[in-house]
Amino acid sequence: MSERRARPAAKKAMKSGWRRALTPAQSPEPPPPEPSEPAGTPEQAEVASVVQAALYRDGVRVSSPATLAETFRELREQPSGMAWIGLARPTEAELLSLAAEFDLHPLSIEDALEAHQRPKLERYGETLFVVLRAARYLDAPEEVDFGELHVFVGPDFVITVRHGAAPDLSAVRLRMEETPELLKLGPEAVLYAILDAVVDGYEPVVAGVQIDIDEIETEVFRGDPEVSRRIYELSREMVEFQRATRPLVGMLHGLMAGFSKYGTDEELQRYLRDVADHVTHTSERVDGFRQALTEILTVNATLVTQQQNAEMRALAEAGFEQNEEIKRISSWAAILFAPTLVGTIYGMNFEHMPELSWRFGYPFAIGLMGVICAGLYVIFKRRDWL
């Protein structure tokens, strides 16, 4: 539940019916989605293409045309009405027909055809073009899924072009239709309701990311080898989240700056200020997440470096001990080799060997062995090989 919905009872009593219209219904069962604006899985959203169109007069739905052509015709027949057309991944032909009917600027149509746009707000004459980035947190893969929404707001029409599964505009439409006093304020009220739904959708994402960061901190100090990858992936998602929220702050302040110029209803002004406060808070939280992930990545790199240094030191110590053992073995092998060599020579039993008939030959051989062994022992000892 958002901070706005958790206000004290005294402030809740001051809310108007319009403010309650922007708050999701608390019924135990969710409202059924509209046919062309499915709230199902992303795979289902991929299949949906067009159209949920409705005409309103004084905040009440008067008809639900089946095609765009019928929508255009009925809107011309009812000058005081308002058309709300919802599209999901429309074709170029459908957007061009809307452009011809509502005099939409070619640049805005070009942007609406491409799904990878940054959040922005542009005014073309009497038409306002808004690009929003919605987000939702997927529990199973523990990742953030981003959608894109383009909104055309004119004097008597609202056109939404959705790329992705979020947000659920059918719930926004249902809440607006349940409060005619808000809907009869016209296209501006619909825009503010859409903005509120997109911003409210950020709160579960913020909560999910906070849990992920807490888990990552535990994994870092536990030495999980996969934590670096998780930090990188979450950091990349926070970059996308930041791109979705940061421009929205300036957009909402731009709308608030035009209150007096375009005669915005006073109650709608309050809604927009409230949405702007929530966007600012969310943007600050996302900035904090990025900073926290950067620090966690630094700490993880430090811990990994320390662990690698400890392993290298252990390997070096093991190698040093092995070298010392090899030195000792080599030294004793050299010492023992000397008498073996002398004994082997005098054990060949050739007939003509000078020392064989020498009276002191045997003591000489034994002494020679002793001198060589002692000399090698002293040399190796001085070199710390023994």
Side-chain angles (χ1 to χ4, degrees):
M1 182 176 293
S2 66
E3 294 178 2
R4 173 176 45 211
R5 297 170 193 156
R7 289 175 178 170
K11 290 187 177 181
K12 284 186 177 179
M14 299 175 62
K15 288 184 178 180
S16 66
W18 295 340
R19 180 60 209 145
R20 290 192 295 272
L22 290 178
T23 305
Q26 300 297 324
S27 58
E29 297 182 359
E34 294 181 2
S36 65
E37 296 182 4
T41 62
E43 289 78 12
Q44 293 172 337
E46 293 285 345
V47 177
S49 57
V50 192
V51 166
Q52 174 61 33
L55 265 67
Y56 301 90
R57 181 185 298 163
D58 295 328
V60 179
R61 184 190 286 221
V62 294
S63 66
S64 301
T67 64
L68 289 177
E70 292 181 14
T71 304
F72 302 153
R73 177 179 55 79
E74 293 186 19
L75 184 60
R76 287 192 294 267
E77 294 174 355
Q78 301 179 19
S80 60
M82 179 191 73
W84 184 351
I85 303 172
L87 308 176
R89 304 185 186 278
T91 63
E92 183 177 0
E94 290 162 347
L95 284 179
L96 290 178
S97 65
L98 289 170
E101 180 66 27
F102 297 110
D103 193 24
L104 304 180
H105 197 277
L107 291 178
S108 62
I109 294 298
E110 181 180 349
D111 289 341
L113 285 172
E114 298 294 333
H116 302 289
Q117 301 292 328
R118 293 181 64 86
K120 62 180 179 179
L121 183 149
E122 295 181 356
R123 185 175 291 277
Y124 299 97
E126 295 184 341
T127 302
L128 195 64
F129 177 62
V130 182
V131 178
L132 303 173
R133 294 293 304 276
R136 60 174 184 163
Y137 185 80
L138 305 179
D139 291 324
E142 294 185 344
E143 62 183 24
V144 183
D145 177 53
F146 293 95
E148 191 167 324
L149 180 65
H150 301 177
V151 186
F152 297 88
V153 182
D156 58 352
F157 66 87
V158 176
I159 302 171
T160 59
V161 179
R162 195 180 67 192
H163 298 274
D168 180 13
L169 294 182
S170 61
V172 177
R173 190 189 292 265
L174 180 61
R175 292 199 300 270
M176 294 292 287
E177 290 179 351
E178 289 177 348
T179 310
E181 60 269 24
L182 175 61
L183 189 55
K184 71 180 180 181
L185 294 179
E188 279 190 334
V190 176
L191 174 61
Y192 298 148
I194 293 173
L195 287 169
D196 186 74
V198 171
V199 174
D200 279 351
Y202 293 153
E203 294 180 7
V205 179
V206 170
V209 171
Q210 182 63 67
I211 294 174
D212 286 346
I213 291 178
D214 293 340
E215 292 176 353
I216 285 174
E217 289 177 344
T218 303
E219 293 173 357
V220 165
F221 291 100
R222 194 170 55 198
D224 192 329
E226 296 294 329
V227 69
S228 297
R229 180 185 182 125
R230 188 175 182 186
I231 294 173
Y232 171 75
E233 291 176 348
L234 189 57
S235 298
R236 186 174 57 185
E237 291 176 353
M238 287 305 96
V239 170
E240 291 295 324
F241 202 6
Q242 199 173 48
R243 290 174 180 172
T245 57
R246 182 174 291 179
L248 195 54
V249 176
M251 291 166 53
L252 290 171
H253 285 288
L255 283 175
M256 289 189 293
F259 282 162
S260 58
K261 180 178 180 180
Y262 297 101
T264 304
D265 181 83
E266 184 177 351
E267 191 70 12
L268 291 179
Q269 294 182 25
R270 297 191 184 99
Y271 300 158
L272 185 59
R273 293 191 188 98
D274 187 65
V275 173
D277 290 341
H278 280 78
V279 170
T280 302
H281 176 71
T282 301
S283 180
E284 292 173 351
R285 291 290 303 275
V286 175
D287 291 343
F289 288 156
R290 285 203 63 187
Q291 181 65 29
L293 288 170
T294 301
E295 294 174 355
I296 292 173
L297 188 60
T298 302
V299 171
N300 181 65
T302 302
L303 294 176
V304 170
T305 302
Q306 290 178 350
Q307 182 180 0
Q308 291 176 345
N309 291 339
E311 293 175 353
M312 293 297 294
R313 185 165 50 252
L315 289 174
E317 292 175 355
F320 177 77
E321 292 178 358
Q322 290 177 354
N323 289 337
E324 293 299 316
E325 293 295 330
I326 292 173
K327 287 179 181 179
R328 293 187 185 96
I329 294 172
S330 300
S331 299
W332 285 113
I335 292 172
L336 295 176
F337 175 74
T340 303
L341 177 62
V342 175
T344 302
I345 292 175
Y346 285 101
M348 291 188 292
N349 296 323
F350 288 108
E351 181 177 357
H352 300 288
M353 290 184 66
E355 293 83 3
L356 290 180
S357 59
W358 186 31
R359 181 178 180 181
F360 299 103
Y362 177 74
F364 173 77
I366 296 299
L368 180 61
M369 294 179 189
V371 170
I372 295 175
C373 290
L376 290 175
Y377 180 83
V378 171
I379 293 173
F380 292 143
K381 192 68 175 177
R382 288 180 177 179
R383 296 184 178 181
D384 293 329
W385 284 32
L386 291 175

